[in-house]
Amino acid sequence: MVRVLSVASEMFPLVKTGGLGDVAGALPAALAAAGAATTTILPGYPATMAALSDSSPVHEFADLFGGAATVLRGSAAGLDVMVVDAPHLYARAGNPYLGADGKEWADNGLRFAGLGAAAAAMAVGVGPGDGFDILHAHDWQAAMAVVYLNFHPGERPGTVLTIHNLAFQGRYPAALFPRLGLPDAAFSLNGLEYHGDVNFLKGGLSYADRIATVSPTYAREIMGEENGMGLDGVLRYRADAVSGIMNGIDDTIWNPAADPLIPGRFGRGKLAKRALNKTELQRRMGLEENPDALLIGVVSRMTTQKGLDMLVDLLDDLASDGIQLALLGSGDPDLEDAFVTAAEWNQGSVGCVIGYDEALAHLIEAGSDAFLAPSRFEPCGLTQLYALRYGSVPVVSRVGGLADSVIDANEAALAAGVATGLQFWPATPSALQAALRRLMALWLDKPAWTRMQRNGMAADVSWRGPASRYVALYRSILAERG
Ligand code: ADP
């Protein structure tokens, strides 16, 4: 077994703000089946501290960026975890990254440098024989682990950095650098330095043995200026080390045949039970309880990335066409207001819940007929994978992982009987509107519709394939290092 230390700032079900949490929570079990044993190291937020059981201290830091810290090892949610118990950095209620005012915590640089430094120390081992073969860092919050390991004077494990979203980089003024405890060489063009600032993600991208991102299309897109978020040059420079490995889903949690969060459990051969979920969803969202109305679901953060602003202007038209919308999301206050207002204007046709609700997210996947993800960019996207598994036909913009996971119902795909959903491009209101018209036409063609549902439910969106690709990636580093 390859011994892996996974470094993550969130992990479902303990802490989750998005797909990163799902991945960190689900990948370890899949890796175990594919030949790698994972320990996950997490910040000691109140939620992680509370979930930790059978723990014992494995290391003490007299001073981890402003206070003492202890690394505890134990288990949480059935996984082997290490938690960095550093109250001065992590003992804060609420969101892991933002204060109550919705702004980033002012000391996020030190908070996630702390995670990185602690992870790097654990990766090389605090006692004989207890180190790791590979450190696998997720996103900018974990990227400093790769940087610290790069400057570790002795033997170090191989390193992988997975980019879940290049838009978030951990960029701070240069004044942070002297506090990081790194040699001057780290603040260079081939290291952390970025336009005079410190950039954690760039540091990780510069020093990682391998860079992975969460879909093959996103791996190509981020090498270009348009989607490179200012790091395309670094990624092109490291192109030989970059690969795209599609995320999977936890198919024990997202399993329509055994999901405790939905009233009607169903399988590919027994789609009739879905109707119970649709009725329940319509009731919950204040929609007209009409089995024949095409019901479109959305579960999403409300940010520019997710493209939901394009939907707002179409809502009146959708309602007059008899199409229903069930939306769950939170984020941009203006967008939240726009959907709440649209729901008031279109009672019975547009339902929206502002907030975060895991159970409702399951019901939307299980009860909607189609599932919309109109992202402007999307590294992988998980909600469309859940939709495939739950027999809700995904309608997606043709970007990143959305492009890689949905087979568009064009003439050829329909004729061959392989379509699983609809893609549209560009990400504009008119292209979205055209896609929704195509969707309506397919809705009226019941055999074609059922075929799409069944194809989607048969698609392998599990972690099995991706996990074996990660293990191959780990092994390629170990082989290279001898
Ligand atoms: P991202 O990580 O960019 O937010 P993904 O599609 O990769 O997008 O993952 C989003 C995850 O967060 C999914 O598991 C989705 O169900 C969940 N999610 C997003 N918004 C909400 C919400 N308001 N309530 C419940 N779950 C949500």
Side-chain angles (χ1 to χ4, degrees), residues 16-20 22 164-165 247 254 299-301 305-306 328-330 353 355-361 365 378-384 386:
K16 164 173 158 180
T17 70
L20 168 64
D22 283 337
H164 296 265
N165 195 335
N247 283 336
W254 294 92
V299 179
S300 182
R301 289 187 292 118
Q305 174 192 340
K306 300 293 180 179
L328 166 65
S330 64
V353 170
Y356 192 92
D357 185 334
E358 198 72 33
L360 184 55
E365 301 280 5
E378 193 58 75
C380 177
L382 292 174
T383 54
Q384 86 283 5
Y386 301 143

PDB file of all heavy atoms in Angstrom, residues 16-20 22 164-165 247 254 299-301 305-306 328-330 353 355-361 365 378-384 386, ligand 1:
ATOM      1  N   LYS A  16     -17.835  21.272   5.195  1.00  0.00           N
ATOM      2  CA  LYS A  16     -17.940  21.298   3.734  1.00  0.00           C
ATOM      3  C   LYS A  16     -18.483  22.641   3.291  1.00  0.00           C
ATOM      4  O   LYS A  16     -19.512  23.091   3.779  1.00  0.00           O
ATOM      5  CB  LYS A  16     -18.867  20.175   3.269  1.00  0.00           C
ATOM      6  CG  LYS A  16     -19.364  20.323   1.832  1.00  0.00           C
ATOM      7  CD  LYS A  16     -20.143  19.120   1.358  1.00  0.00           C
ATOM      8  CE  LYS A  16     -21.060  19.484   0.193  1.00  0.00           C
ATOM      9  NZ  LYS A  16     -21.835  18.347  -0.315  1.00  0.00           N
ATOM     10  N   THR A  17     -17.763  23.289   2.370  1.00  0.00           N
ATOM     11  CA  THR A  17     -18.342  24.478   1.738  1.00  0.00           C
ATOM     12  C   THR A  17     -18.594  24.225   0.258  1.00  0.00           C
ATOM     13  O   THR A  17     -19.233  25.016  -0.400  1.00  0.00           O
ATOM     14  CB  THR A  17     -17.445  25.728   1.878  1.00  0.00           C
ATOM     15  OG1 THR A  17     -16.292  25.556   1.061  1.00  0.00           O
ATOM     16  CG2 THR A  17     -17.023  25.962   3.316  1.00  0.00           C
ATOM     17  N   GLY A  18     -18.061  23.126  -0.278  1.00  0.00           N
ATOM     18  CA  GLY A  18     -18.269  22.835  -1.701  1.00  0.00           C
ATOM     19  C   GLY A  18     -17.680  21.485  -2.060  1.00  0.00           C
ATOM     20  O   GLY A  18     -17.467  20.626  -1.190  1.00  0.00           O
ATOM     21  N   GLY A  19     -17.422  21.314  -3.342  1.00  0.00           N
ATOM     22  CA  GLY A  19     -16.977  20.024  -3.861  1.00  0.00           C
ATOM     23  C   GLY A  19     -15.685  19.508  -3.232  1.00  0.00           C
ATOM     24  O   GLY A  19     -15.515  18.299  -3.071  1.00  0.00           O
ATOM     25  N   LEU A  20     -14.796  20.421  -2.869  1.00  0.00           N
ATOM     26  CA  LEU A  20     -13.541  20.017  -2.232  1.00  0.00           C
ATOM     27  C   LEU A  20     -13.797  19.131  -1.008  1.00  0.00           C
ATOM     28  O   LEU A  20     -13.122  18.121  -0.801  1.00  0.00           O
ATOM     29  CB  LEU A  20     -12.760  21.286  -1.839  1.00  0.00           C
ATOM     30  CG  LEU A  20     -11.564  21.119  -0.907  1.00  0.00           C
ATOM     31  CD1 LEU A  20     -10.472  20.288  -1.549  1.00  0.00           C
ATOM     32  CD2 LEU A  20     -11.001  22.497  -0.533  1.00  0.00           C
ATOM     33  N   ASP A  22     -16.432  17.260  -0.402  1.00  0.00           N
ATOM     34  CA  ASP A  22     -16.924  15.955  -0.854  1.00  0.00           C
ATOM     35  C   ASP A  22     -15.756  15.065  -1.278  1.00  0.00           C
ATOM     36  O   ASP A  22     -15.692  13.883  -0.941  1.00  0.00           O
ATOM     37  CB  ASP A  22     -17.864  16.116  -2.060  1.00  0.00           C
ATOM     38  CG  ASP A  22     -19.255  16.613  -1.657  1.00  0.00           C
ATOM     39  OD1 ASP A  22     -19.633  16.428  -0.492  1.00  0.00           O
ATOM     40  OD2 ASP A  22     -19.961  17.161  -2.519  1.00  0.00           O
ATOM     41  N   HIS A 164      -8.649  22.170  -7.373  1.00  0.00           N
ATOM     42  CA  HIS A 164     -10.104  22.029  -7.464  1.00  0.00           C
ATOM     43  C   HIS A 164     -10.727  23.274  -8.059  1.00  0.00           C
ATOM     44  O   HIS A 164     -11.818  23.226  -8.625  1.00  0.00           O
ATOM     45  CB  HIS A 164     -10.704  21.729  -6.090  1.00  0.00           C
ATOM     46  CG  HIS A 164     -10.242  20.424  -5.528  1.00  0.00           C
ATOM     47  ND1 HIS A 164     -10.947  19.259  -5.672  1.00  0.00           N
ATOM     48  CD2 HIS A 164      -9.093  20.092  -4.884  1.00  0.00           C
ATOM     49  CE1 HIS A 164     -10.278  18.266  -5.111  1.00  0.00           C
ATOM     50  NE2 HIS A 164      -9.146  18.744  -4.630  1.00  0.00           N
ATOM     51  N   ASN A 165     -10.066  24.403  -7.862  1.00  0.00           N
ATOM     52  CA  ASN A 165     -10.557  25.658  -8.441  1.00  0.00           C
ATOM     53  C   ASN A 165      -9.421  26.670  -8.464  1.00  0.00           C
ATOM     54  O   ASN A 165      -8.960  27.114  -7.418  1.00  0.00           O
ATOM     55  CB  ASN A 165     -11.729  26.193  -7.616  1.00  0.00           C
ATOM     56  CG  ASN A 165     -12.489  27.272  -8.369  1.00  0.00           C
ATOM     57  OD1 ASN A 165     -11.941  27.943  -9.243  1.00  0.00           O
ATOM     58  ND2 ASN A 165     -13.750  27.439  -8.026  1.00  0.00           N
ATOM     59  N   ASN A 247     -13.206  13.932 -11.027  1.00  0.00           N
ATOM     60  CA  ASN A 247     -13.713  13.517  -9.715  1.00  0.00           C
ATOM     61  C   ASN A 247     -14.775  12.441  -9.867  1.00  0.00           C
ATOM     62  O   ASN A 247     -15.487  12.383 -10.871  1.00  0.00           O
ATOM     63  CB  ASN A 247     -14.377  14.688  -8.987  1.00  0.00           C
ATOM     64  CG  ASN A 247     -13.368  15.643  -8.388  1.00  0.00           C
ATOM     65  OD1 ASN A 247     -12.232  15.265  -8.109  1.00  0.00           O
ATOM     66  ND2 ASN A 247     -13.795  16.874  -8.179  1.00  0.00           N
ATOM     67  N   TRP A 254     -24.623   9.063  -2.213  1.00  0.00           N
ATOM     68  CA  TRP A 254     -25.479   9.484  -3.324  1.00  0.00           C
ATOM     69  C   TRP A 254     -25.948   8.242  -4.078  1.00  0.00           C
ATOM     70  O   TRP A 254     -25.451   7.934  -5.159  1.00  0.00           O
ATOM     71  CB  TRP A 254     -24.724  10.465  -4.226  1.00  0.00           C
ATOM     72  CG  TRP A 254     -24.425  11.752  -3.521  1.00  0.00           C
ATOM     73  CD1 TRP A 254     -23.295  12.065  -2.828  1.00  0.00           C
ATOM     74  CD2 TRP A 254     -25.281  12.894  -3.426  1.00  0.00           C
ATOM     75  NE1 TRP A 254     -23.393  13.333  -2.304  1.00  0.00           N
ATOM     76  CE2 TRP A 254     -24.607  13.874  -2.664  1.00  0.00           C
ATOM     77  CE3 TRP A 254     -26.548  13.204  -3.912  1.00  0.00           C
ATOM     78  CZ2 TRP A 254     -25.162  15.119  -2.368  1.00  0.00           C
ATOM     79  CZ3 TRP A 254     -27.096  14.457  -3.627  1.00  0.00           C
ATOM     80  CH2 TRP A 254     -26.408  15.396  -2.863  1.00  0.00           C
ATOM     81  N   VAL A 299     -28.863  23.281  -7.595  1.00  0.00           N
ATOM     82  CA  VAL A 299     -28.246  23.338  -6.261  1.00  0.00           C
ATOM     83  C   VAL A 299     -26.876  23.949  -6.481  1.00  0.00           C
ATOM     84  O   VAL A 299     -26.046  23.359  -7.178  1.00  0.00           O
ATOM     85  CB  VAL A 299     -28.069  21.935  -5.637  1.00  0.00           C
ATOM     86  CG1 VAL A 299     -27.405  22.044  -4.269  1.00  0.00           C
ATOM     87  CG2 VAL A 299     -29.406  21.205  -5.538  1.00  0.00           C
ATOM     88  N   SER A 300     -26.639  25.126  -5.902  1.00  0.00           N
ATOM     89  CA  SER A 300     -25.414  25.801  -6.312  1.00  0.00           C
ATOM     90  C   SER A 300     -25.006  26.921  -5.376  1.00  0.00           C
ATOM     91  O   SER A 300     -25.855  27.550  -4.750  1.00  0.00           O
ATOM     92  CB  SER A 300     -25.641  26.401  -7.701  1.00  0.00           C
ATOM     93  OG  SER A 300     -24.489  27.026  -8.188  1.00  0.00           O
ATOM     94  N   ARG A 301     -23.707  27.158  -5.309  1.00  0.00           N
ATOM     95  CA  ARG A 301     -23.240  28.430  -4.761  1.00  0.00           C
ATOM     96  C   ARG A 301     -23.683  29.494  -5.757  1.00  0.00           C
ATOM     97  O   ARG A 301     -23.710  29.248  -6.963  1.00  0.00           O
ATOM     98  CB  ARG A 301     -21.718  28.439  -4.663  1.00  0.00           C
ATOM     99  CG  ARG A 301     -21.168  27.526  -3.597  1.00  0.00           C
ATOM    100  CD  ARG A 301     -19.662  27.697  -3.439  1.00  0.00           C
ATOM    101  NE  ARG A 301     -18.933  27.225  -4.598  1.00  0.00           N
ATOM    102  CZ  ARG A 301     -18.162  27.979  -5.372  1.00  0.00           C
ATOM    103  NH1 ARG A 301     -18.018  29.275  -5.127  1.00  0.00           N
ATOM    104  NH2 ARG A 301     -17.527  27.469  -6.409  1.00  0.00           N
ATOM    105  N   GLN A 305     -19.201  32.548 -11.213  1.00  0.00           N
ATOM    106  CA  GLN A 305     -18.767  31.284 -11.827  1.00  0.00           C
ATOM    107  C   GLN A 305     -19.954  30.423 -12.253  1.00  0.00           C
ATOM    108  O   GLN A 305     -19.943  29.808 -13.325  1.00  0.00           O
ATOM    109  CB  GLN A 305     -17.908  30.490 -10.826  1.00  0.00           C
ATOM    110  CG  GLN A 305     -17.540  29.097 -11.348  1.00  0.00           C
ATOM    111  CD  GLN A 305     -16.936  28.186 -10.279  1.00  0.00           C
ATOM    112  OE1 GLN A 305     -16.441  28.657  -9.263  1.00  0.00           O
ATOM    113  NE2 GLN A 305     -16.948  26.888 -10.517  1.00  0.00           N
ATOM    114  N   LYS A 306     -20.969  30.377 -11.413  1.00  0.00           N
ATOM    115  CA  LYS A 306     -22.038  29.400 -11.616  1.00  0.00           C
ATOM    116  C   LYS A 306     -23.082  29.831 -12.647  1.00  0.00           C
ATOM    117  O   LYS A 306     -23.963  29.045 -13.004  1.00  0.00           O
ATOM    118  CB  LYS A 306     -22.708  29.075 -10.286  1.00  0.00           C
ATOM    119  CG  LYS A 306     -21.740  28.489  -9.247  1.00  0.00           C
ATOM    120  CD  LYS A 306     -21.235  27.098  -9.653  1.00  0.00           C
ATOM    121  CE  LYS A 306     -20.285  26.517  -8.617  1.00  0.00           C
ATOM    122  NZ  LYS A 306     -19.811  25.181  -8.991  1.00  0.00           N
ATOM    123  N   LEU A 328     -31.976  25.742  -4.895  1.00  0.00           N
ATOM    124  CA  LEU A 328     -31.385  25.835  -3.559  1.00  0.00           C
ATOM    125  C   LEU A 328     -29.994  26.411  -3.723  1.00  0.00           C
ATOM    126  O   LEU A 328     -29.183  25.888  -4.491  1.00  0.00           O
ATOM    127  CB  LEU A 328     -31.288  24.434  -2.930  1.00  0.00           C
ATOM    128  CG  LEU A 328     -30.409  24.305  -1.678  1.00  0.00           C
ATOM    129  CD1 LEU A 328     -30.979  25.105  -0.502  1.00  0.00           C
ATOM    130  CD2 LEU A 328     -30.258  22.827  -1.281  1.00  0.00           C
ATOM    131  N   GLY A 329     -29.719  27.501  -3.008  1.00  0.00           N
ATOM    132  CA  GLY A 329     -28.386  28.072  -3.127  1.00  0.00           C
ATOM    133  C   GLY A 329     -28.197  29.239  -2.187  1.00  0.00           C
ATOM    134  O   GLY A 329     -29.145  29.708  -1.562  1.00  0.00           O
ATOM    135  N   SER A 330     -26.956  29.687  -2.113  1.00  0.00           N
ATOM    136  CA  SER A 330     -26.686  30.895  -1.353  1.00  0.00           C
ATOM    137  C   SER A 330     -25.394  31.496  -1.873  1.00  0.00           C
ATOM    138  O   SER A 330     -24.602  30.820  -2.526  1.00  0.00           O
ATOM    139  CB  SER A 330     -26.578  30.591   0.137  1.00  0.00           C
ATOM    140  OG  SER A 330     -25.484  29.753   0.373  1.00  0.00           O
ATOM    141  N   VAL A 353     -35.097  28.239  -2.222  1.00  0.00           N
ATOM    142  CA  VAL A 353     -34.696  28.235  -0.820  1.00  0.00           C
ATOM    143  C   VAL A 353     -33.275  28.772  -0.773  1.00  0.00           C
ATOM    144  O   VAL A 353     -32.376  28.253  -1.441  1.00  0.00           O
ATOM    145  CB  VAL A 353     -34.753  26.806  -0.226  1.00  0.00           C
ATOM    146  CG1 VAL A 353     -34.113  26.774   1.156  1.00  0.00           C
ATOM    147  CG2 VAL A 353     -36.195  26.310  -0.161  1.00  0.00           C
ATOM    148  N   GLY A 355     -30.000  29.242   1.259  1.00  0.00           N
ATOM    149  CA  GLY A 355     -29.353  28.642   2.424  1.00  0.00           C
ATOM    150  C   GLY A 355     -28.614  27.392   2.012  1.00  0.00           C
ATOM    151  O   GLY A 355     -28.442  27.129   0.815  1.00  0.00           O
ATOM    152  N   TYR A 356     -28.181  26.655   2.992  1.00  0.00           N
ATOM    153  CA  TYR A 356     -27.433  25.422   2.734  1.00  0.00           C
ATOM    154  C   TYR A 356     -28.188  24.278   3.386  1.00  0.00           C
ATOM    155  O   TYR A 356     -28.465  24.322   4.575  1.00  0.00           O
ATOM    156  CB  TYR A 356     -26.020  25.541   3.320  1.00  0.00           C
ATOM    157  CG  TYR A 356     -25.122  24.444   2.836  1.00  0.00           C
ATOM    158  CD1 TYR A 356     -24.345  24.618   1.705  1.00  0.00           C
ATOM    159  CD2 TYR A 356     -25.098  23.220   3.481  1.00  0.00           C
ATOM    160  CE1 TYR A 356     -23.559  23.588   1.222  1.00  0.00           C
ATOM    161  CE2 TYR A 356     -24.316  22.190   3.005  1.00  0.00           C
ATOM    162  CZ  TYR A 356     -23.542  22.388   1.877  1.00  0.00           C
ATOM    163  OH  TYR A 356     -22.767  21.361   1.402  1.00  0.00           O
ATOM    164  N   ASP A 357     -28.568  23.282   2.620  1.00  0.00           N
ATOM    165  CA  ASP A 357     -29.438  22.228   3.150  1.00  0.00           C
ATOM    166  C   ASP A 357     -29.130  20.912   2.428  1.00  0.00           C
ATOM    167  O   ASP A 357     -29.554  20.690   1.291  1.00  0.00           O
ATOM    168  CB  ASP A 357     -30.904  22.658   2.927  1.00  0.00           C
ATOM    169  CG  ASP A 357     -31.899  21.695   3.560  1.00  0.00           C
ATOM    170  OD1 ASP A 357     -31.570  20.504   3.735  1.00  0.00           O
ATOM    171  OD2 ASP A 357     -33.016  22.146   3.861  1.00  0.00           O
ATOM    172  N   GLU A 358     -28.365  20.075   3.110  1.00  0.00           N
ATOM    173  CA  GLU A 358     -27.905  18.811   2.509  1.00  0.00           C
ATOM    174  C   GLU A 358     -29.099  17.919   2.105  1.00  0.00           C
ATOM    175  O   GLU A 358     -29.112  17.351   1.017  1.00  0.00           O
ATOM    176  CB  GLU A 358     -27.025  18.102   3.549  1.00  0.00           C
ATOM    177  CG  GLU A 358     -26.124  17.020   3.010  1.00  0.00           C
ATOM    178  CD  GLU A 358     -24.948  17.532   2.178  1.00  0.00           C
ATOM    179  OE1 GLU A 358     -24.407  18.624   2.434  1.00  0.00           O
ATOM    180  OE2 GLU A 358     -24.586  16.806   1.241  1.00  0.00           O
ATOM    181  N   ALA A 359     -30.108  17.833   2.979  1.00  0.00           N
ATOM    182  CA  ALA A 359     -31.240  16.943   2.691  1.00  0.00           C
ATOM    183  C   ALA A 359     -32.029  17.445   1.485  1.00  0.00           C
ATOM    184  O   ALA A 359     -32.435  16.660   0.614  1.00  0.00           O
ATOM    185  CB  ALA A 359     -32.150  16.843   3.919  1.00  0.00           C
ATOM    186  N   LEU A 360     -32.248  18.750   1.421  1.00  0.00           N
ATOM    187  CA  LEU A 360     -32.990  19.309   0.282  1.00  0.00           C
ATOM    188  C   LEU A 360     -32.196  19.119  -1.017  1.00  0.00           C
ATOM    189  O   LEU A 360     -32.772  18.880  -2.086  1.00  0.00           O
ATOM    190  CB  LEU A 360     -33.309  20.787   0.529  1.00  0.00           C
ATOM    191  CG  LEU A 360     -34.158  21.486  -0.524  1.00  0.00           C
ATOM    192  CD1 LEU A 360     -35.478  20.760  -0.779  1.00  0.00           C
ATOM    193  CD2 LEU A 360     -34.437  22.943  -0.127  1.00  0.00           C
ATOM    194  N   ALA A 361     -30.872  19.203  -0.913  1.00  0.00           N
ATOM    195  CA  ALA A 361     -30.038  18.968  -2.108  1.00  0.00           C
ATOM    196  C   ALA A 361     -30.307  17.557  -2.659  1.00  0.00           C
ATOM    197  O   ALA A 361     -30.449  17.373  -3.869  1.00  0.00           O
ATOM    198  CB  ALA A 361     -28.560  19.147  -1.781  1.00  0.00           C
ATOM    199  N   GLU A 365     -32.097  16.574  -6.403  1.00  0.00           N
ATOM    200  CA  GLU A 365     -31.520  15.640  -7.386  1.00  0.00           C
ATOM    201  C   GLU A 365     -32.516  14.516  -7.712  1.00  0.00           C
ATOM    202  O   GLU A 365     -32.623  14.063  -8.841  1.00  0.00           O
ATOM    203  CB  GLU A 365     -30.220  15.018  -6.849  1.00  0.00           C
ATOM    204  CG  GLU A 365     -29.107  16.029  -6.503  1.00  0.00           C
ATOM    205  CD  GLU A 365     -28.336  16.519  -7.719  1.00  0.00           C
ATOM    206  OE1 GLU A 365     -28.699  16.159  -8.858  1.00  0.00           O
ATOM    207  OE2 GLU A 365     -27.367  17.288  -7.522  1.00  0.00           O
ATOM    208  N   GLU A 378     -16.055  25.566 -14.928  1.00  0.00           N
ATOM    209  CA  GLU A 378     -16.369  24.534 -13.930  1.00  0.00           C
ATOM    210  C   GLU A 378     -15.267  23.479 -13.931  1.00  0.00           C
ATOM    211  O   GLU A 378     -15.178  22.658 -14.840  1.00  0.00           O
ATOM    212  CB  GLU A 378     -17.716  23.880 -14.254  1.00  0.00           C
ATOM    213  CG  GLU A 378     -18.276  23.022 -13.133  1.00  0.00           C
ATOM    214  CD  GLU A 378     -18.466  23.810 -11.842  1.00  0.00           C
ATOM    215  OE1 GLU A 378     -19.427  24.606 -11.753  1.00  0.00           O
ATOM    216  OE2 GLU A 378     -17.628  23.625 -10.932  1.00  0.00           O
ATOM    217  N   PRO A 379     -14.394  23.510 -12.920  1.00  0.00           N
ATOM    218  CA  PRO A 379     -13.279  22.548 -12.893  1.00  0.00           C
ATOM    219  C   PRO A 379     -13.765  21.107 -13.058  1.00  0.00           C
ATOM    220  O   PRO A 379     -13.252  20.369 -13.886  1.00  0.00           O
ATOM    221  CB  PRO A 379     -12.656  22.794 -11.515  1.00  0.00           C
ATOM    222  CG  PRO A 379     -12.976  24.239 -11.212  1.00  0.00           C
ATOM    223  CD  PRO A 379     -14.328  24.487 -11.811  1.00  0.00           C
ATOM    224  N   CYS A 380     -14.718  20.686 -12.259  1.00  0.00           N
ATOM    225  CA  CYS A 380     -15.307  19.361 -12.444  1.00  0.00           C
ATOM    226  C   CYS A 380     -16.814  19.472 -12.332  1.00  0.00           C
ATOM    227  O   CYS A 380     -17.546  19.200 -13.262  1.00  0.00           O
ATOM    228  CB  CYS A 380     -14.770  18.358 -11.408  1.00  0.00           C
ATOM    229  SG  CYS A 380     -15.569  16.756 -11.593  1.00  0.00           S
ATOM    230  N   GLY A 381     -17.269  19.910 -11.157  1.00  0.00           N
ATOM    231  CA  GLY A 381     -18.709  19.944 -10.897  1.00  0.00           C
ATOM    232  C   GLY A 381     -19.140  18.584 -10.383  1.00  0.00           C
ATOM    233  O   GLY A 381     -18.791  17.545 -10.971  1.00  0.00           O
ATOM    234  N   LEU A 382     -19.829  18.580  -9.283  1.00  0.00           N
ATOM    235  CA  LEU A 382     -20.329  17.314  -8.739  1.00  0.00           C
ATOM    236  C   LEU A 382     -21.834  17.201  -8.910  1.00  0.00           C
ATOM    237  O   LEU A 382     -22.367  16.107  -9.071  1.00  0.00           O
ATOM    238  CB  LEU A 382     -19.983  17.218  -7.246  1.00  0.00           C
ATOM    239  CG  LEU A 382     -18.496  17.074  -6.931  1.00  0.00           C
ATOM    240  CD1 LEU A 382     -18.264  17.144  -5.426  1.00  0.00           C
ATOM    241  CD2 LEU A 382     -17.948  15.764  -7.480  1.00  0.00           C
ATOM    242  N   THR A 383     -22.517  18.354  -8.903  1.00  0.00           N
ATOM    243  CA  THR A 383     -23.980  18.277  -8.887  1.00  0.00           C
ATOM    244  C   THR A 383     -24.522  17.597 -10.150  1.00  0.00           C
ATOM    245  O   THR A 383     -25.525  16.891 -10.081  1.00  0.00           O
ATOM    246  CB  THR A 383     -24.609  19.676  -8.739  1.00  0.00           C
ATOM    247  OG1 THR A 383     -24.096  20.523  -9.747  1.00  0.00           O
ATOM    248  CG2 THR A 383     -24.315  20.266  -7.378  1.00  0.00           C
ATOM    249  N   GLN A 384     -23.849  17.786 -11.293  1.00  0.00           N
ATOM    250  CA  GLN A 384     -24.341  17.135 -12.519  1.00  0.00           C
ATOM    251  C   GLN A 384     -24.069  15.634 -12.463  1.00  0.00           C
ATOM    252  O   GLN A 384     -24.783  14.845 -13.091  1.00  0.00           O
ATOM    253  CB  GLN A 384     -23.737  17.790 -13.770  1.00  0.00           C
ATOM    254  CG  GLN A 384     -22.401  17.273 -14.231  1.00  0.00           C
ATOM    255  CD  GLN A 384     -21.241  17.787 -13.373  1.00  0.00           C
ATOM    256  OE1 GLN A 384     -21.423  18.463 -12.367  1.00  0.00           O
ATOM    257  NE2 GLN A 384     -20.017  17.477 -13.779  1.00  0.00           N
ATOM    258  N   TYR A 386     -24.223  13.892  -9.595  1.00  0.00           N
ATOM    259  CA  TYR A 386     -25.325  13.400  -8.753  1.00  0.00           C
ATOM    260  C   TYR A 386     -26.593  13.299  -9.603  1.00  0.00           C
ATOM    261  O   TYR A 386     -27.361  12.339  -9.476  1.00  0.00           O
ATOM    262  CB  TYR A 386     -25.586  14.342  -7.570  1.00  0.00           C
ATOM    263  CG  TYR A 386     -24.398  14.548  -6.648  1.00  0.00           C
ATOM    264  CD1 TYR A 386     -24.141  15.778  -6.063  1.00  0.00           C
ATOM    265  CD2 TYR A 386     -23.534  13.491  -6.356  1.00  0.00           C
ATOM    266  CE1 TYR A 386     -23.052  15.970  -5.221  1.00  0.00           C
ATOM    267  CE2 TYR A 386     -22.442  13.673  -5.526  1.00  0.00           C
ATOM    268  CZ  TYR A 386     -22.205  14.918  -4.959  1.00  0.00           C
ATOM    269  OH  TYR A 386     -21.131  15.099  -4.138  1.00  0.00           O
TER     270      TYR A 386
HETATM  271  P1  ADP B   1     -18.349  23.900  -6.035  1.00  0.00           P
HETATM  272  O1  ADP B   1     -17.364  23.058  -5.298  1.00  0.00           O
HETATM  273  O2  ADP B   1     -17.749  24.829  -7.043  1.00  0.00           O
HETATM  274  O3  ADP B   1     -19.319  24.617  -5.147  1.00  0.00           O
HETATM  275  P2  ADP B   1     -19.410  21.362  -7.016  1.00  0.00           P
HETATM  276  O4  ADP B   1     -20.522  21.055  -7.958  1.00  0.00           O
HETATM  277  O5  ADP B   1     -18.099  20.718  -7.279  1.00  0.00           O
HETATM  278  O6  ADP B   1     -19.280  22.943  -6.935  1.00  0.00           O
HETATM  279  O7  ADP B   1     -19.831  20.916  -5.536  1.00  0.00           O
HETATM  280  C1  ADP B   1     -20.882  21.536  -4.856  1.00  0.00           C
HETATM  281  C2  ADP B   1     -21.281  20.651  -3.689  1.00  0.00           C
HETATM  282  O8  ADP B   1     -21.908  21.460  -2.707  1.00  0.00           O
HETATM  283  C3  ADP B   1     -22.284  19.603  -4.071  1.00  0.00           C
HETATM  284  O9  ADP B   1     -22.164  18.505  -3.177  1.00  0.00           O
HETATM  285  C4  ADP B   1     -23.615  20.324  -3.845  1.00  0.00           C
HETATM  286  O10 ADP B   1     -24.671  19.430  -3.616  1.00  0.00           O
HETATM  287  C5  ADP B   1     -23.277  21.115  -2.600  1.00  0.00           C
HETATM  288  N1  ADP B   1     -24.044  22.352  -2.449  1.00  0.00           N
HETATM  289  C6  ADP B   1     -23.854  23.545  -3.078  1.00  0.00           C
HETATM  290  N2  ADP B   1     -24.738  24.467  -2.626  1.00  0.00           N
HETATM  291  C7  ADP B   1     -25.496  23.843  -1.703  1.00  0.00           C
HETATM  292  C8  ADP B   1     -26.585  24.255  -0.859  1.00  0.00           C
HETATM  293  N3  ADP B   1     -27.048  25.503  -0.899  1.00  0.00           N
HETATM  294  N4  ADP B   1     -27.134  23.348  -0.017  1.00  0.00           N
HETATM  295  C9  ADP B   1     -26.649  22.070   0.020  1.00  0.00           C
HETATM  296  N5  ADP B   1     -25.636  21.621  -0.731  1.00  0.00           N
HETATM  297  C10 ADP B   1     -25.058  22.496  -1.576  1.00  0.00           C
END
